[in-house]
Amino acid sequence: MKKLNVNDKASLAMSGIALMLSIVAYVNGEIKGASEQQRTMRSQLTNVLGRIISSNLENTKAFRDAGQSDPFYYQQVSSILNQQNAFLLQQAMYVSEQIPSLVTTVELNTIALANASAGDIVVAERYYKRAIDTSPSDYYKSLATRSYATFLFPQRRFEEGRDQFRKAVSLLKKKQGVTS
């Protein structure tokens, strides 16, 4: 086997260092790319949920302005807004599933409410429960629990709803250091 001279050893060492730097740069680029993708999806989720809320507000205003005086017009506007909400809701659920660790309790609750409004009570319930489970504090858990309780009453699940309201109040009392 041939012995390496000093120049060969130096070239080999430089090649090794260049390879290591390339690997580090590649890994760093991948990490930054993934982080940027998550930020982009997070921004998309915020945007989509904002549009859902705005659309619901437009629907409410349309009912106030034309619901009684021109029911046909209101029905047309409401139908279009509901279709838009269905599309936005699907997008919100997709994005939230892509970045589950970045989705907040309030966002999960908003998705739950939108599903309930769209009539998909099975999915709505799943999101209400996720909102409760992922709450970062008793305060947010109380808000999510109260929303879930409100969701249960129209389904005539009165006892469950009352229990959830009690839990929500209990969480707030615990947070404030109040005992019964």
Side-chain angles (χ1 to χ4, degrees), residues 21-31:
L21 287 174
S22 294
I23 291 170
V24 168
Y26 173 78
V27 169
N28 191 32
E30 288 296 311
I31 291 170

Side-chain angles (χ1 to χ4, degrees), residues 74-134:
Y74 170 69
Q75 182 180 10
Q76 294 299 310
V77 169
S78 182
S79 178
I80 291 166
L81 291 171
N82 288 336
Q83 182 64 33
Q84 179 185 28
N85 268 354
F87 167 76
L88 292 170
L89 181 55
Q90 292 300 312
Q91 187 177 2
M93 289 189 305
Y94 172 77
V95 172
S96 73
E97 296 300 322
Q98 300 306 304
I99 53 168
S101 64
L102 300 178
V103 181
T104 68
T105 299
V106 174
E107 291 162 337
L108 291 169
N109 197 65
T110 302
I111 293 170
L113 180 61
N115 272 294
S117 295
D120 194 341
I121 61 171
V122 172
V123 174
E125 185 157 10
R126 188 174 73 223
Y127 275 91
Y128 278 117
K129 288 179 177 180
R130 280 181 61 195
I132 293 167
D133 292 342
T134 62

Side-chain angles (χ1 to χ4, degrees), residues 7-19:
N7 287 340
D8 291 338
K9 288 179 183 179
S11 293
L12 195 55
M14 292 300 275
S15 295
I17 291 171
L19 176 63

Side-chain angles (χ1 to χ4, degrees), residues 24-83:
V24 168
Y26 173 78
V27 169
N28 191 32
E30 288 296 311
I31 291 170
K32 283 184 179 181
S35 183
E36 182 60 33
Q37 182 180 12
Q38 284 189 332
R39 277 194 299 277
T40 299
M41 294 192 89
R42 179 85 191 90
S43 177
Q44 286 177 0
L45 181 60
T46 301
N47 181 33
V48 168
L49 291 175
R51 290 175 60 195
I52 287 172
I53 291 168
S54 294
S55 182
N56 286 336
L57 185 58
E58 285 180 50
N59 200 358
T60 301
K61 287 178 182 177
F63 180 75
R64 180 197 66 202
D65 296 343
Q68 303 299 320
S69 61
D70 191 350
F72 179 75
Y73 171 77
Y74 170 69
Q75 182 180 10
Q76 294 299 310
V77 169
S78 182
S79 178
I80 291 166
L81 291 171
N82 288 336
Q83 182 64 33

Side-chain angles (χ1 to χ4, degrees), residues 36 100 142-143 156 165:
E36 182 60 33
S142 174
L143 294 178
R156 307 187 64 76
F165 273 124

